[in-house]
């Protein structure tokens, strides 16, 4: 069993950085597009054998140090009463904008939320020789989609609702938090060995708004994996927001083992500013760096590796992989990370 990822996620300053990539499974892989010709996204996600196969594809091809379960942050929403279509981004049949809309939602029992996820996790644990990461969307980010109804640049409907109907927003966040706690616990009970909370759109908000509508709910989901909330977590907990360098101090208060940063928030200066409050950092290659010509990925990857020195570092992108990426560029990235010794004196890879 390759436990490099788990050791770094617990704060060990490992000899080399573990590598996995957000959206490592999916549209950039020809073998995924092949399956997508025959099955919809929901069919892939809801059929445990297919979800397990798609999870394994990038691990086989690239030799990643961790697998991330193939699902979406929207996976638990249908069991709450919210139908989601992928076009290819998530679209809500009935967005949640009124008390009557909210009344159509419920908190499902733990084993009702997504039984196919627990089954996929059990299948994967029999196959994998690297750790399996489970994940969920943070309540704030899920609420963003539920209210807006689809992806958007500014999310005006959602940000307006936070001001016009804070009571409704909090009631929705409460339902999402309870559901997410059960969903996260179900994944860990089935065998997920780490858990990443995606708060992709937290960075839209100023710090006060994030502290009101984001942080308290994210904290509850993360704490639920730590037994009664006081003890150490049974699995390392990773948290990511995008475009959120201004929220670093609020993130440092979350019960997490790993904070994932995007490419606009440098690893070295953030590590100094966090001053030991978070055990490990993850990130943060710009996903666009994988779109350059052959040979250019190595230099960009080395810059991130050097900035990650001085404490535990898990190599990743700053956000999800873009579908246009040529798998040869991902191989260049993975080779570079594997060849980079993190001990001082290993000057060759650093030059
Ligand atoms: O490999 C992996 O990382 C695991 C799979 C995974 C998917 N979605 C599969 C997917 C993960 C971790 C997610 C998380 C997710 N989904 C997030 C958080 C991470 C982030 O990017 O901020 C968010 C915001 C979503 C919402 C979502 N789902 C979007 C915006 C889209 C469409 C555009 C896109 O980036 O692909 C989806 C659909 C989706 N989720 C696809 C995949 C492989 C594409 C569906 C298809 O194959 O047509």
């Amino acid at each position: 069993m390759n436990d490099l990822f788990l050791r770094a996620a617990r704060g060990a300053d490992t000899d080399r950085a573990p590598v996995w990539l957000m959206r490592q499974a999916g549209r950039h892989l020809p073998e995924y597009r092949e399956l997508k010709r025959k099955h919809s996204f929901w069919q892939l996600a809801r059929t445990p054998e297919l979800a397990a196969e798609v999870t394994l594809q990038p691990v086989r091809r690239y030799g990643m140090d961790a697998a991330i379960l193939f699902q979406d942050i929207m996976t638990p929403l249908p069991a709450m009463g919210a139908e989601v279509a992928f076009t290819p981004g998530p679209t809500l049949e009935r967005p949640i904008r009124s008390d009557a809309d909210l009344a159509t939602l419920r908190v499902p029992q733990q084993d009702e939320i997504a039984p196919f996820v627990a089954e996929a996790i059990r299948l994967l644990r029999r196959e994998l020789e690297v750790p399996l990461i489970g994940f969920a969307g943070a309540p704030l980010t899920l609420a963003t989609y539920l209210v807006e109804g689809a992806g958007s640049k500014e999310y005006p409907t959602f940000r307006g609702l936070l001001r016009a109907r804070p009571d409704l927003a909090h009631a929705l966040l409460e339902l999402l938090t309870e559901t997410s706690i059960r969903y996260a616990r179900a994944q860990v009970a089935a065998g997920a060995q780490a858990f990443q909370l995606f708060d992709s759109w937290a960075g839209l908000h100023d710090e006060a708004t994030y502290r009101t509508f984001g942080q308290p709910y994210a904290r509850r989901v993360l704490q639920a994996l730590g037994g009664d909330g006081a003890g150490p977590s049974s699995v390392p907990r990773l948290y990511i927001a995008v475009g959120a360098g201004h929220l670093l101090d609020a993130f440092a208060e979350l019960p997490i083992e790993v904070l994932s940063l995007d490419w606009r928030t440098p690893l070295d200066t953030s590590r100094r500013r966090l001053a030991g409050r978070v055990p490990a950092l993850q990130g943060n290659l710009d996903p666009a760096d994988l779109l350059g010509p052959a040979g250019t990925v190595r230099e960009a990857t080395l810059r991130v590796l050097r900035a990650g020195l001085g404490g535990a570092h898990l190599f990743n992108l700053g956000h999800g992989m873009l579908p246009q990426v040529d798998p040869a560029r991902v191989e260049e990235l993975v080779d570079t990370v594997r060849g980079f010794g993190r001990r001082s004196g290993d000057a060759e890879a650093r030059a």
Side-chain angles (χ1 to χ4, degrees):
M1 176 72 176
N2 167 357
D3 69 347
L4 185 64
F5 167 89
L6 289 175
R7 286 190 285 118
R10 289 287 187 188
D13 195 1
T14 51
D15 290 347
R16 78 162 174 87
V19 55
W20 71 281
L21 304 178
M22 288 182 272
R23 298 292 182 90
Q24 62 190 24
R27 288 180 292 172
H28 89 284
L29 286 177
E31 55 270 39
Y32 174 79
R33 292 197 300 268
E34 180 68 34
L35 279 175
K36 261 311 281 292
R37 275 203 281 278
K38 286 175 272 176
H39 309 280
S40 70
F41 178 82
W42 273 129
Q43 281 170 342
L44 292 178
R46 287 175 174 158
T47 309
E49 292 74 17
L50 292 174
E53 168 58 24
V54 177
T55 302
L56 291 169
Q57 285 176 346
V59 179
R60 271 191 217 119
R61 184 188 268 263
Y62 302 119
M64 297 296 187
D65 293 308
I68 181 157
L69 182 66
F70 183 77
Q71 286 296 330
D72 194 78
I73 59 169
M74 301 293 141
T75 293
L77 299 186
M80 295 180 71
E83 282 309 322
V84 179
F86 287 96
T87 61
T91 315
L92 274 291
E93 217 158 81
R94 282 174 292 117
I96 306 299
R97 296 174 185 171
S98 68
D99 297 303
D101 296 334
L102 186 73
T104 65
L105 298 183
R106 66 191 193 95
V107 178
Q109 294 301 315
Q110 183 165 312
D111 56 2
E112 286 180 294
I113 296 174
F116 50 90
V117 166
E119 188 51 32
I121 291 173
R122 284 190 286 267
L123 292 175
L124 281 162
R125 283 300 304 278
R126 278 185 232 139
E127 295 276 324
L128 280 167
E129 284 163 19
V130 295
L132 177 63
I133 306 167
F135 73 93
L140 179 67
T141 288
L142 294 176
T144 309
Y145 280 109
L146 277 171
V147 171
E148 202 70 38
S152 142
K153 188 155 174 283
E154 302 272 357
Y155 293 96
T157 315
F158 180 60
R159 290 160 73 213
L161 184 109
L162 295 183
R163 275 76 184 178
R165 288 293 313 276
D167 60 316
L168 180 60
H170 281 297
L172 173 59
L173 288 161
E174 206 42 68
L175 292 179
L176 290 167
T177 300
E178 267 315 306
T179 304
S180 301
I181 286 171
R182 294 175 187 190
Y183 182 48
R185 284 184 171 151
Q187 291 181 52
V188 172
Q193 291 150 293
F195 180 80
Q196 179 154 315
L197 195 63
F198 283 96
D199 214 347
S200 303
W201 309 136
L204 285 173
H205 309 281
D206 64 83
E207 186 168 340
T209 305
Y210 173 72
R211 285 182 181 278
T212 304
F213 296 103
Q215 191 200 40
Y217 299 102
R219 175 184 286 126
R220 275 167 55 191
V221 177
L222 294 160
Q223 261 172 359
L225 296 176
D228 58 5
S233 175
S234 54
V235 297
R237 295 161 292 187
L238 300 79
Y239 181 82
I240 177 166
V242 179
H246 59 294
L247 301 177
L248 225 47
D249 287 314
F251 298 158
E253 296 164 9
L254 291 170
I256 52 175
E257 282 65 41
V258 183
L259 180 62
S260 201
L261 302 173
D262 88 3
W263 60 98
R264 289 157 291 201
T265 309
L267 292 169
D268 44 6
T269 53
S270 301
R271 198 186 296 278
R272 285 196 289 278
R273 180 153 151 221
L274 288 164
R277 288 178 289 169
V278 178
L281 295 181
Q282 176 173 269
N284 64 351
L285 188 75
D286 186 335
D289 283 326
L290 288 172
L291 302 178
T296 59
V297 172
R298 178 175 156 81
E299 201 38 59
T301 300
L302 285 172
R303 274 197 297 275
V304 170
L305 286 163
R306 289 183 201 111
L309 293 170
H313 176 215
L314 294 79
F315 193 93
N316 209 313
L317 304 176
H319 198 185
M321 181 117 64
L322 298 163
Q324 307 85 314
V325 167
D326 178 343
R329 300 296 175 279
V330 181
E331 282 166 23
E332 187 179 333
L333 180 163
V334 172
D335 283 350
T336 307
V337 179
R338 287 181 175 279
F340 184 83
R342 303 184 73 244
R343 291 287 156 259
S344 53
D346 191 350
E348 199 217 334
R350 286 196 207 169

